[in-house]
Amino acid sequence: MPPSTGLDAEERERRRRISHSAMERRRRERTNHIINELKFLVPWLRNEARMQKLEVLENAVQYIHQLQAAAAVAGASVSSGNIATASSQTVSRDIPVSPTNIAVAVTATEAA
C-alpha cells in the first residue's frame, strides 16, 4: 500500500480552512445583524444610509448615557414629589435626544 499521508494531510487542511471560513462568515453576519439592530434603536441613526460600525457603537453608547440621565432626572422628580407621567418622558423617534433637550423637557414638566 503506497503512503498517502501527504494527500490526506492536504485534504484535512483544505477541509479545516473551509470549516473555519464558514464559522468566520457566520460570526461576521451575526455581528452585522446586531450592529444594524443597534442602528435602528438609536433614533437619530434610523435614516442614515451607511455608517461605520464604530460610529454606530459610539452613538449607541451616547444614547444609553442620555437615557440613563433622563431616568435619573425622572427618578429625582418622583422622589421630590413631582411625579412626571410616562408620556412626558417618552423619547421622540424623530427628534434627536440630547441632555439639553431632556433637561428642558423635565423642567417644563416640573413647572406644569
Side-chain angles (χ1 to χ4, degrees):
M1 211 174 206
S4 60
T5 56
L7 184 58
D8 289 342
E10 289 175 14
E11 179 65 18
R12 280 195 305 270
E13 180 63 20
R14 186 183 70 77
R15 289 180 184 181
R16 185 192 65 76
R17 270 189 262 129
I18 290 171
S19 175
H20 178 72
S21 295
M23 288 175 14
E24 182 63 19
R25 186 178 332 103
R26 284 191 302 270
R27 185 195 65 78
R28 281 192 316 268
E29 288 170 354
R30 251 182 31 232
T31 300
N32 289 336
H33 175 74
I34 295 299
I35 295 289
N36 285 331
E37 200 170 322
L38 269 175
K39 183 180 168 188
F40 180 76
L41 292 173
V42 178
W44 58 88
L45 298 183
R46 288 185 180 154
N47 297 327
E48 294 293 324
R50 187 103 172 121
M51 293 188 75
Q52 292 182 7
K53 292 173 187 173
L54 183 57
E55 289 178 301
V56 173
L57 292 173
E58 289 170 338
N59 279 276
V61 167
Q62 178 186 2
Y63 184 53
I64 291 167
H65 286 302
Q66 291 172 357
L67 291 174
Q68 287 174 332
V73 169
S77 295
V78 170
S79 66
S80 67
N82 298 327
I83 299 175
T85 64
S87 62
S88 68
Q89 296 298 317
T90 303
V91 176
S92 170
R93 293 181 179 187
D94 300 324
I95 301 171
V97 178
S98 71
T100 306
N101 292 348
I102 292 170
V104 169
V106 169
T107 304
T109 302
E110 290 175 352

Coordinates of all heavy atoms in Angstrom, one line a residue, residues 1-83:
M1 N 0.8 -1.2 0.0 CA 0.0 0.0 0.0 C 0.9 1.2 0.0 O 1.7 1.4 0.9 CB -0.9 0.0 1.2 CG -2.2 0.6 1.1 SD -3.1 0.3 2.5 CE -4.7 0.4 1.8
P2 N 0.7 2.1 -1.0 CA 1.6 3.3 -1.0 C 1.2 4.3 0.1 O 0.0 4.4 0.5 CB 1.3 3.9 -2.4 CG 0.0 3.4 -2.8 CD -0.2 2.1 -2.1
P3 N 2.2 5.0 0.6 CA 1.9 6.0 1.6 C 1.0 7.2 1.1 O 1.4 7.8 0.0 CB 3.2 6.5 2.1 CG 4.2 6.1 1.0 CD 3.6 5.0 0.3
S4 N -0.1 7.5 1.7 CA -1.0 8.5 1.2 C -1.2 9.6 2.3 O -2.1 10.3 2.2 CB -2.3 7.9 0.8 OG -2.9 7.3 2.0
T5 N -0.2 9.7 3.2 CA -0.3 10.7 4.3 C -0.3 12.1 3.7 O -1.0 13.0 4.3 CB 0.8 10.5 5.3 OG1 2.0 10.6 4.7 CG2 0.6 9.1 6.0
G6 N 0.5 12.4 2.7 CA 0.6 13.7 2.1 C -0.7 14.2 1.6 O -1.2 15.3 1.8
L7 N -1.4 13.4 0.9 CA -2.7 13.7 0.3 C -3.8 13.8 1.4 O -4.6 14.8 1.4 CB -3.1 12.6 -0.7 CG -4.4 12.9 -1.5 CD1 -4.3 14.2 -2.3 CD2 -4.7 11.8 -2.5
D8 N -3.8 12.9 2.3 CA -4.7 13.0 3.4 C -4.5 14.3 4.2 O -5.5 14.9 4.6 CB -4.6 11.8 4.3 CG -5.2 10.5 3.7 OD1 -5.9 10.7 2.7 OD2 -4.8 9.4 4.2
A9 N -3.3 14.6 4.5 CA -3.0 15.8 5.3 C -3.4 17.1 4.5 O -4.0 18.0 5.1 CB -1.5 15.9 5.6
E10 N -3.2 17.1 3.2 CA -3.7 18.2 2.4 C -5.2 18.4 2.4 O -5.8 19.4 2.5 CB -3.2 18.1 1.0 CG -1.7 18.3 0.8 CD -1.2 18.1 -0.6 OE1 -2.1 18.0 -1.5 OE2 0.0 17.9 -0.8
E11 N -5.9 17.2 2.3 CA -7.3 17.2 2.3 C -7.9 17.7 3.7 O -8.8 18.5 3.7 CB -7.8 15.8 2.0 CG -9.3 15.7 2.0 CD -10.0 16.5 0.9 OE1 -9.4 16.9 -0.1 OE2 -11.3 16.7 1.1
R12 N -7.2 17.2 4.7 CA -7.7 17.6 6.1 C -7.5 19.2 6.2 O -8.4 19.8 6.8 CB -6.9 16.9 7.2 CG -7.4 15.5 7.5 CD -6.8 15.0 8.8 NE -5.4 15.0 8.8 CZ -4.6 14.0 8.4 NH1 -5.1 12.9 7.9 NH2 -3.3 14.1 8.5
E13 N -6.3 19.7 5.8 CA -6.1 21.1 5.9 C -7.1 21.9 5.0 O -7.6 22.9 5.5 CB -4.6 21.4 5.4 CG -4.3 22.9 5.4 CD -4.3 23.4 6.8 OE1 -4.2 22.7 7.8 OE2 -4.4 24.7 6.9
R14 N -7.4 21.4 3.9 CA -8.4 22.1 3.0 C -9.8 22.1 3.7 O -10.4 23.2 3.7 CB -8.5 21.4 1.6 CG -9.4 22.1 0.6 CD -9.5 21.3 -0.7 NE -10.3 20.1 -0.5 CZ -11.6 20.0 -0.4 NH1 -12.4 21.1 -0.5 NH2 -12.3 18.9 -0.3
R15 N -10.2 21.0 4.2 CA -11.5 21.0 4.9 C -11.5 21.9 6.2 O -12.5 22.5 6.5 CB -11.8 19.5 5.3 CG -12.2 18.7 4.2 CD -12.5 17.3 4.6 NE -12.8 16.4 3.4 CZ -13.1 15.2 3.5 NH1 -13.2 14.6 4.6 NH2 -13.3 14.5 2.3
R16 N -10.4 21.9 6.9 CA -10.3 22.8 8.1 C -10.4 24.2 7.7 O -11.1 25.0 8.3 CB -8.9 22.5 8.8 CG -8.8 23.3 10.1 CD -7.4 23.3 10.6 NE -6.4 24.0 9.8 CZ -6.4 25.4 9.7 NH1 -7.2 26.1 10.4 NH2 -5.5 26.0 8.9
R17 N -9.8 24.6 6.6 CA -9.9 26.0 6.1 C -11.3 26.4 5.7 O -11.8 27.4 6.0 CB -8.9 26.3 4.9 CG -7.6 26.7 5.4 CD -6.7 27.2 4.2 NE -5.9 26.0 3.9 CZ -5.7 25.5 2.7 NH1 -6.3 26.0 1.6 NH2 -4.9 24.4 2.5
I18 N -12.0 25.4 5.0 CA -13.4 25.7 4.6 C -14.3 25.8 5.8 O -15.1 26.7 5.9 CB -13.9 24.5 3.7 CG1 -13.1 24.6 2.3 CG2 -15.4 24.6 3.5 CD1 -13.4 23.4 1.4
S19 N -14.1 24.9 6.8 CA -14.9 25.0 8.0 C -14.6 26.3 8.8 O -15.5 27.0 9.3 CB -14.5 23.8 8.9 OG -15.2 23.9 10.2
H20 N -13.3 26.7 8.9 CA -13.0 28.0 9.6 C -13.6 29.1 8.8 O -14.2 30.1 9.5 CB -11.5 28.1 9.7 CG -11.1 29.4 10.3 ND1 -11.2 29.6 11.7 CD2 -10.6 30.5 9.8 CE1 -10.8 30.8 12.0 NE2 -10.4 31.4 10.8
S21 N -13.6 29.1 7.5 CA -14.2 30.2 6.7 C -15.7 30.3 7.0 O -16.2 31.4 7.1 CB -13.9 30.0 5.2 OG -12.5 30.1 5.0
A22 N -16.3 29.2 7.0 CA -17.8 29.2 7.3 C -18.1 29.8 8.7 O -19.0 30.6 8.8 CB -18.3 27.8 7.1
M23 N -17.3 29.4 9.7 CA -17.5 29.9 11.0 C -17.3 31.4 11.1 O -18.1 32.1 11.7 CB -16.6 29.2 12.0 CG -17.0 27.7 12.3 SD -15.8 26.8 13.3 CE -14.8 27.9 14.1
E24 N -16.3 31.8 10.4 CA -15.9 33.3 10.4 C -17.0 34.1 9.7 O -17.4 35.1 10.1 CB -14.6 33.5 9.7 CG -14.1 34.9 9.7 CD -13.9 35.6 11.1 OE1 -13.8 34.8 12.1 OE2 -14.0 36.8 11.1
R25 N -17.6 33.5 8.6 CA -18.7 34.2 7.9 C -19.9 34.3 8.7 O -20.5 35.4 8.8 CB -19.0 33.4 6.6 CG -20.0 34.1 5.7 CD -20.3 33.3 4.4 NE -19.3 32.5 3.9 CZ -19.2 31.1 4.0 NH1 -20.2 30.5 4.6 NH2 -18.2 30.4 3.5
R26 N -20.2 33.2 9.5 CA -21.4 33.3 10.4 C -21.2 34.3 11.5 O -22.1 35.1 11.8 CB -21.7 31.9 11.0 CG -22.3 31.0 10.0 CD -22.8 29.7 10.7 NE -21.8 29.0 11.4 CZ -21.1 28.0 10.9 NH1 -21.2 27.6 9.6 NH2 -20.1 27.4 11.6
R27 N -20.0 34.4 12.0 CA -19.7 35.4 13.0 C -19.8 36.8 12.5 O -20.4 37.7 13.1 CB -18.2 35.2 13.6 CG -17.9 36.1 14.7 CD -16.4 36.2 15.0 NE -15.7 36.8 13.9 CZ -15.6 38.1 13.7 NH1 -16.2 38.9 14.4 NH2 -14.9 38.6 12.7
R28 N -19.3 37.1 11.3 CA -19.5 38.4 10.7 C -20.9 38.8 10.4 O -21.4 39.9 10.7 CB -18.7 38.5 9.4 CG -17.2 38.7 9.5 CD -16.5 39.0 8.2 NE -17.0 38.2 7.1 CZ -16.4 37.1 6.7 NH1 -15.3 36.6 7.3 NH2 -16.8 36.5 5.6
E29 N -21.7 37.8 9.9 CA -23.1 38.0 9.7 C -23.9 38.3 11.0 O -24.7 39.2 11.0 CB -23.8 36.8 9.0 CG -23.3 36.6 7.6 CD -23.8 35.3 7.0 OE1 -24.3 34.4 7.7 OE2 -23.5 35.1 5.8
R30 N -23.6 37.6 12.1 CA -24.2 37.9 13.4 C -23.8 39.3 13.9 O -24.7 40.0 14.3 CB -23.8 36.8 14.4 CG -24.8 35.9 14.8 CD -24.4 34.9 15.8 NE -23.5 35.2 16.8 CZ -22.4 34.6 17.1 NH1 -22.1 33.4 16.5 NH2 -21.5 35.0 18.0
T31 N -22.6 39.6 13.8 CA -22.1 40.9 14.2 C -22.8 42.0 13.4 O -23.3 43.0 14.0 CB -20.6 41.1 14.0 OG1 -19.9 40.0 14.8 CG2 -20.1 42.4 14.4
N32 N -22.9 41.9 12.1 CA -23.5 42.9 11.2 C -25.0 43.0 11.6 O -25.5 44.1 11.6 CB -23.3 42.6 9.8 CG -21.9 42.8 9.3 OD1 -21.1 43.6 9.9 ND2 -21.5 42.1 8.3
H33 N -25.6 41.9 11.9 CA -27.1 41.9 12.2 C -27.3 42.7 13.5 O -28.2 43.6 13.6 CB -27.6 40.5 12.4 CG -29.0 40.5 12.9 ND1 -30.1 40.8 12.1 CD2 -29.5 40.2 14.1 CE1 -31.2 40.7 12.8 NE2 -30.9 40.3 14.0
I34 N -26.4 42.5 14.5 CA -26.6 43.2 15.8 C -26.3 44.7 15.6 O -26.9 45.5 16.2 CB -25.6 42.6 16.9 CG1 -26.1 41.1 17.2 CG2 -25.6 43.4 18.1 CD1 -27.5 41.0 17.7
I35 N -25.2 45.0 14.8 CA -24.9 46.4 14.6 C -26.1 47.1 13.9 O -26.5 48.3 14.3 CB -23.6 46.6 13.7 CG1 -22.4 46.0 14.5 CG2 -23.4 48.0 13.3 CD1 -21.9 46.9 15.6
N36 N -26.7 46.5 12.9 CA -27.9 47.1 12.3 C -29.1 47.2 13.2 O -29.8 48.2 13.1 CB -28.3 46.2 11.1 CG -27.3 46.4 9.9 OD1 -26.7 47.5 9.8 ND2 -27.2 45.4 9.1
E37 N -29.2 46.3 14.1 CA -30.3 46.4 15.1 C -30.0 47.6 16.1 O -31.0 48.3 16.4 CB -30.4 45.1 15.9 CG -31.7 44.9 16.6 CD -31.8 43.5 17.2 OE1 -31.3 42.5 16.5 OE2 -32.3 43.3 18.3
L38 N -28.8 47.7 16.5 CA -28.4 48.9 17.3 C -28.7 50.2 16.6 O -29.2 51.2 17.1 CB -27.0 48.8 17.7 CG -26.6 48.1 19.0 CD1 -25.1 48.1 19.1 CD2 -27.2 48.8 20.2
K39 N -28.3 50.2 15.3 CA -28.5 51.4 14.5 C -30.0 51.8 14.5 O -30.4 53.0 14.6 CB -28.0 51.2 13.1 CG -28.1 52.4 12.2 CD -27.6 52.0 10.8 CE -27.9 53.1 9.8 NZ -27.6 52.7 8.5
F40 N -30.9 50.8 14.4 CA -32.3 51.1 14.3 C -32.8 51.6 15.7 O -33.8 52.3 15.8 CB -33.1 49.8 13.9 CG -34.6 50.1 13.9 CD1 -35.1 50.8 12.8 CD2 -35.4 49.6 14.9 CE1 -36.5 51.0 12.8 CE2 -36.8 49.8 14.8 CZ -37.3 50.5 13.8
L41 N -32.2 51.1 16.8 CA -32.7 51.5 18.1 C -32.3 52.9 18.5 O -33.0 53.5 19.4 CB -32.1 50.5 19.2 CG -32.7 49.1 19.1 CD1 -32.0 48.2 20.1 CD2 -34.2 49.1 19.4
V42 N -31.3 53.5 17.9 CA -30.9 54.9 18.2 C -31.7 55.8 17.2 O -31.5 55.7 16.0 CB -29.4 55.1 18.0 CG1 -29.0 56.5 18.2 CG2 -28.6 54.1 18.9
P43 N -32.5 56.7 17.8 CA -33.5 57.4 16.9 C -32.8 58.2 15.8 O -33.3 58.2 14.7 CB -34.1 58.4 17.9 CG -34.0 57.7 19.2 CD -32.7 56.9 19.2
W44 N -31.7 58.9 16.1 CA -31.1 59.7 15.0 C -30.3 59.0 14.0 O -29.8 59.5 13.0 CB -30.3 60.9 15.6 CG -29.2 60.5 16.5 CD1 -27.9 60.2 16.1 CD2 -29.2 60.3 17.9 NE1 -27.2 59.9 17.2 CE2 -27.9 59.9 18.3 CE3 -30.2 60.5 18.9 CZ2 -27.6 59.7 19.7 CZ3 -29.9 60.2 20.2 CH2 -28.6 59.9 20.6
L45 N -30.2 57.6 14.1 CA -29.4 56.8 13.2 C -30.3 56.1 12.2 O -29.9 55.5 11.2 CB -28.5 55.8 13.9 CG -27.4 56.4 14.8 CD1 -26.6 55.3 15.3 CD2 -26.6 57.4 14.0
R46 N -31.6 56.0 12.5 CA -32.5 55.2 11.7 C -32.5 55.5 10.2 O -32.7 54.6 9.4 CB -33.9 55.3 12.2 CG -34.1 54.6 13.5 CD -35.5 54.7 14.0 NE -35.6 54.0 15.3 CZ -36.5 54.3 16.2 NH1 -37.4 55.2 15.9 NH2 -36.5 53.6 17.3
N47 N -32.4 56.8 9.9 CA -32.5 57.1 8.5 C -31.1 57.3 7.8 O -31.0 57.6 6.6 CB -33.2 58.5 8.3 CG -34.7 58.3 8.8 OD1 -35.3 57.2 8.6 ND2 -35.2 59.3 9.4
E48 N -30.1 57.0 8.5 CA -28.7 57.0 8.0 C -28.5 55.8 7.0 O -28.8 54.7 7.4 CB -27.6 57.0 9.1 CG -27.6 58.2 9.9 CD -27.2 59.5 9.2 OE1 -26.3 59.4 8.3 OE2 -27.8 60.5 9.5
A49 N -28.1 56.1 5.8 CA -27.9 55.0 4.8 C -26.7 54.1 5.2 O -26.8 52.9 5.2 CB -27.7 55.7 3.4
R50 N -25.6 54.7 5.4 CA -24.4 53.9 5.6 C -23.5 54.5 6.7 O -23.2 55.7 6.7 CB -23.6 53.9 4.3 CG -22.4 53.0 4.2 CD -22.8 51.7 3.5 NE -21.6 51.0 3.3 CZ -21.4 49.8 3.7 NH1 -22.4 49.1 4.3 NH2 -20.3 49.1 3.5
M51 N -23.1 53.7 7.7 CA -22.3 54.2 8.8 C -21.3 53.1 9.1 O -21.5 52.0 8.9 CB -23.1 54.5 10.0 CG -24.1 55.6 9.9 SD -24.8 56.0 11.5 CE -23.5 56.8 12.3
Q52 N -20.2 53.6 9.6 CA -19.2 52.6 10.1 C -19.7 52.0 11.4 O -20.4 52.6 12.1 CB -17.8 53.3 10.3 CG -17.2 53.8 9.0 CD -15.8 54.4 9.3 OE1 -15.3 54.4 10.4 NE2 -15.2 55.0 8.3
K53 N -19.3 50.8 11.6 CA -19.7 50.0 12.8 C -19.3 50.8 14.1 O -20.1 50.9 15.0 CB -19.1 48.6 12.8 CG -19.7 47.8 11.7 CD -18.9 46.4 11.6 CE -19.4 45.7 10.4 NZ -18.6 44.5 10.2
L54 N -18.1 51.3 14.1 CA -17.7 52.1 15.3 C -18.6 53.3 15.6 O -18.9 53.6 16.7 CB -16.2 52.5 15.2 CG -15.6 53.2 16.4 CD1 -15.7 52.3 17.6 CD2 -14.2 53.5 16.1
E55 N -19.0 54.0 14.5 CA -19.9 55.1 14.7 C -21.2 54.7 15.3 O -21.8 55.4 16.1 CB -20.2 55.8 13.3 CG -19.0 56.5 12.7 CD -19.3 57.1 11.4 OE1 -19.7 56.3 10.5 OE2 -19.2 58.4 11.2
V56 N -21.7 53.6 14.8 CA -23.0 53.1 15.4 C -22.8 52.8 16.9 O -23.6 53.1 17.7 CB -23.5 51.8 14.6 CG1 -24.7 51.2 15.3 CG2 -23.8 52.2 13.2
L57 N -21.7 52.1 17.2 CA -21.5 51.8 18.6 C -21.3 53.0 19.5 O -21.9 53.1 20.6 CB -20.2 50.9 18.7 CG -20.4 49.4 18.2 CD1 -19.0 48.7 18.2 CD2 -21.4 48.7 18.9
E58 N -20.6 54.0 19.0 CA -20.4 55.2 19.7 C -21.7 56.0 20.0 O -22.0 56.4 21.1 CB -19.4 56.2 19.0 CG -18.0 55.7 19.0 CD -17.1 56.5 18.1 OE1 -17.6 57.1 17.1 OE2 -15.8 56.5 18.3
N59 N -22.5 56.0 18.9 CA -23.8 56.7 19.1 C -24.7 55.9 20.0 O -25.5 56.5 20.7 CB -24.5 56.9 17.7 CG -24.0 58.1 16.9 OD1 -24.4 59.2 17.2 ND2 -23.0 57.9 16.1
A60 N -24.7 54.6 20.0 CA -25.5 53.8 20.9 C -25.1 54.0 22.3 O -26.0 54.2 23.2 CB -25.4 52.3 20.5
V61 N -23.8 54.1 22.6 CA -23.3 54.4 23.9 C -23.8 55.8 24.4 O -24.3 56.0 25.5 CB -21.8 54.3 24.0 CG1 -21.2 54.9 25.3 CG2 -21.3 52.9 23.9
Q62 N -23.7 56.8 23.5 CA -24.2 58.1 23.8 C -25.7 58.1 24.1 O -26.1 58.7 25.1 CB -23.9 59.0 22.6 CG -24.4 60.5 22.8 CD -24.3 61.3 21.5 OE1 -23.8 60.8 20.5 NE2 -24.6 62.6 21.6
Y63 N -26.5 57.4 23.3 CA -27.9 57.3 23.6 C -28.2 56.6 24.9 O -29.1 57.1 25.6 CB -28.5 56.5 22.4 CG -30.0 56.5 22.5 CD1 -30.8 57.6 22.6 CD2 -30.7 55.3 22.4 CE1 -32.2 57.6 22.6 CE2 -32.1 55.2 22.4 CZ -32.8 56.4 22.5 OH -34.2 56.3 22.6
I64 N -27.5 55.6 25.2 CA -27.7 54.9 26.5 C -27.4 55.9 27.7 O -28.1 55.9 28.7 CB -26.9 53.6 26.6 CG1 -27.4 52.6 25.6 CG2 -26.8 53.1 28.0 CD1 -26.5 51.4 25.4
H65 N -26.3 56.6 27.6 CA -26.0 57.6 28.6 C -27.1 58.7 28.7 O -27.5 59.0 29.8 CB -24.7 58.3 28.3 CG -23.5 57.4 28.6 ND1 -23.2 56.9 29.8 CD2 -22.5 57.0 27.7 CE1 -22.1 56.2 29.7 NE2 -21.6 56.2 28.5
Q66 N -27.7 59.1 27.6 CA -28.8 60.1 27.7 C -30.0 59.5 28.3 O -30.7 60.1 29.1 CB -29.1 60.5 26.2 CG -28.0 61.4 25.6 CD -28.2 61.7 24.2 OE1 -29.2 61.3 23.6 NE2 -27.3 62.5 23.6
L67 N -30.3 58.2 28.0 CA -31.4 57.6 28.6 C -31.2 57.4 30.1 O -32.1 57.6 30.9 CB -31.7 56.2 28.0 CG -32.2 56.3 26.5 CD1 -32.3 54.9 26.0 CD2 -33.5 57.0 26.4
Q68 N -30.0 57.1 30.5 CA -29.7 57.0 32.0 C -29.8 58.3 32.7 O -30.4 58.4 33.8 CB -28.3 56.4 32.1 CG -28.1 55.0 31.8 CD -26.7 54.5 31.9 OE1 -25.7 55.3 31.6 NE2 -26.5 53.2 32.1
A69 N -29.4 59.4 32.0 CA -29.5 60.7 32.6 C -31.0 61.1 32.7 O -31.4 61.6 33.8 CB -28.8 61.7 31.7
A70 N -31.8 60.8 31.7 CA -33.2 61.1 31.8 C -33.9 60.3 32.9 O -34.8 60.8 33.6 CB -33.9 60.8 30.4
A71 N -33.5 59.0 33.0 CA -34.1 58.2 34.1 C -33.7 58.7 35.5 O -34.5 58.7 36.4 CB -33.6 56.7 33.9
A72 N -32.4 59.2 35.6 CA -32.0 59.7 36.9 C -32.8 61.0 37.2 O -33.2 61.2 38.4 CB -30.5 60.0 36.8
V73 N -33.0 61.8 36.2 CA -33.7 63.1 36.4 C -35.2 62.7 36.8 O -35.8 63.3 37.7 CB -33.7 64.0 35.2 CG1 -34.6 65.2 35.3 CG2 -32.2 64.5 35.0
A74 N -35.8 61.8 36.0 CA -37.2 61.4 36.3 C -37.3 60.8 37.7 O -38.2 61.1 38.4 CB -37.6 60.4 35.2
G75 N -36.3 60.0 38.1 CA -36.3 59.4 39.4 C -36.2 60.5 40.5 O -36.9 60.4 41.5
A76 N -35.4 61.5 40.3 CA -35.3 62.6 41.2 C -36.6 63.4 41.3 O -37.0 63.8 42.4 CB -34.2 63.6 40.8
S77 N -37.3 63.5 40.2 CA -38.6 64.3 40.1 C -39.6 63.5 40.9 O -40.4 64.1 41.7 CB -39.1 64.4 38.7 OG -38.2 65.3 38.0
V78 N -39.6 62.2 40.8 CA -40.6 61.4 41.5 C -40.3 61.4 43.0 O -41.2 61.6 43.8 CB -40.6 59.9 41.0 CG1 -41.4 59.0 41.9 CG2 -41.1 59.9 39.5
S79 N -39.0 61.3 43.4 CA -38.7 61.3 44.8 C -38.9 62.6 45.5 O -39.1 62.7 46.7 CB -37.2 60.8 45.0 OG -36.3 61.7 44.4
S80 N -38.9 63.7 44.7 CA -39.1 65.0 45.3 C -40.6 65.4 45.3 O -40.9 66.5 45.7 CB -38.3 66.1 44.5 OG -38.8 66.3 43.2
G81 N -41.4 64.5 44.9 CA -42.9 64.8 44.9 C -43.5 65.2 43.6 O -44.7 65.3 43.5
N82 N -42.6 65.5 42.6 CA -43.1 65.9 41.3 C -43.2 64.7 40.4 O -42.1 64.3 39.9 CB -42.2 67.0 40.7 CG -42.2 68.2 41.5 OD1 -43.2 68.6 42.1 ND2 -41.0 68.9 41.5
I83 N -44.3 64.1 40.3 CA -44.4 62.9 39.5 C -44.7 63.2 38.1 O -45.7 63.8 37.7 CB -45.6 62.0 40.1 CG1 -45.3 61.6 41.5 CG2 -45.7 60.7 39.2 CD1 -46.4 60.9 42.2

